[in-house]
Structure formats: structure tokens, C-alpha cells
Amino acid sequence: TAALLTGGLVPLASFAGPKPQSSDSPNTARLKRLHMLVAWTSLVSELTAIMYATIARNVLLEAAVPHTHSLKELLLRGEYALAWTGVNSHFLFGLLGFVSTVSLNAWLSFGCNCAGGRIGPALACGASSALLLMLSVVNSAVGKGDAQSVQHLPSLGLFQRYAFLLLAEVFVRRKMLIGIAIALSAVAVVQGA
């Protein structure tokens, strides 16, 4: 599924995305920059989800897995917690970003005041509706699987857990490539804003 989304994001993040024009209003220029930032971030997030899933699957097939009482214990608290939360966090982030780019693309392509009538707002509202429904489904699933999740928005608990596990890899296990990746992500956010 992440590979399918990635295939859809490649054109949105490159040649098929809306391009800034010198004649754009400040709001339109801002939306086009936001579209590009969200599309690229979503694309990279889906690729990261694919990488986590592929490597975790290979390690599960090749290495001896420590004895646990349940699969939930192995995936949420055990040796595979980072991979499990990484796959889910990046997949969800990329999916929400993909739907957001679809919504932004509809708004930028058709807007409110063009020959298309009200199709731009209709498409943007439809995509936003799907996005909120997906978030609701994820919140229900995460809330059932993790008693430590954030009460009203469990998907935030998923992202929070992933951030905690990543930081533990950097500061406890001294994995500097992850630290550099986090720093570069922060630079990208600041530069893109």
C-alpha cells in the first residue's frame, strides 16, 4: 500500500505538481509552496515506511526472535518497537500528506472563481472529508492497541512514541546517523517554512 501511495506521490512532488508563477497572488504562491513541501515530505515518509517494513521483515526471517508472550509485546515494547512504530507513523503521515496534496491540488487547479464553478471547493472538501475519516479510523485502531496513547487523539500518541524511540536510538544507543537525519529534518522544516 505504501508503494502504491509512493507511485502517486512521485508526480505530485515533481513534474505534475503546481509550479509557482510570477503572476501568483501571495496566497496562491504560499499554497503552491505548501503543496510541494507536503508532497515531498509525504513521498519521503512513504519511502521510509517501505524501508522500515522491508528491513524488519528480513530481520524477522533471518534472525532468532526472542521469546515473548505475544506478538503485541514484541512489536510495541520489544526489539521491533522502533520498526513497528516507524512503519505506522510514516505510513500514516505519508497517507495524510497525500490526501492533503490532492486537496491542495484541487483547490489550486480549480479554485472558487473559475469556469469550473464550485468544483475546486467541492473536491477539496471531499478530500478533506476522506482525510478526517482516515484519521478517525487510525485513532480508533491505535486507541485499542496502545493504552498509553494520547486520550483524545491516539495517532498523536503513535507519533510521540516514534519520536521517543528515535531519540532513544540517538542518545542511548549512540546511533549518530539517526541524529543527523533528525537534524536535517529540522533544517528542512525551517527552510521550507
Side-chain angles (χ1 to χ4, degrees), residues 1-2 5 42 45-54 56 71-72 74-77 80-97 134-135 137-139 141-143 145-146 154-163 165:
T1 307
L5 285 174
S42 300
S45 197
E46 290 300 334
L47 290 172
T48 304
I50 292 167
M51 179 59 75
Y52 264 128
T54 303
L71 181 60
K72 180 179 175 180
L74 180 68
L75 295 177
L76 293 180
R77 290 173 204 84
Y80 295 91
L82 179 60
W84 178 257
T85 57
V87 166
N88 286 294
S89 295
H90 282 285
F91 177 73
L92 175 60
F93 191 77
L95 177 64
L96 296 178
M134 287 182 240
L135 195 54
V137 169
V138 170
N139 284 337
V142 171
D146 186 7
S155 56
L156 284 180
L158 175 67
F159 292 122
Q160 186 179 39
R161 174 90 172 125
Y162 178 57
L165 291 169

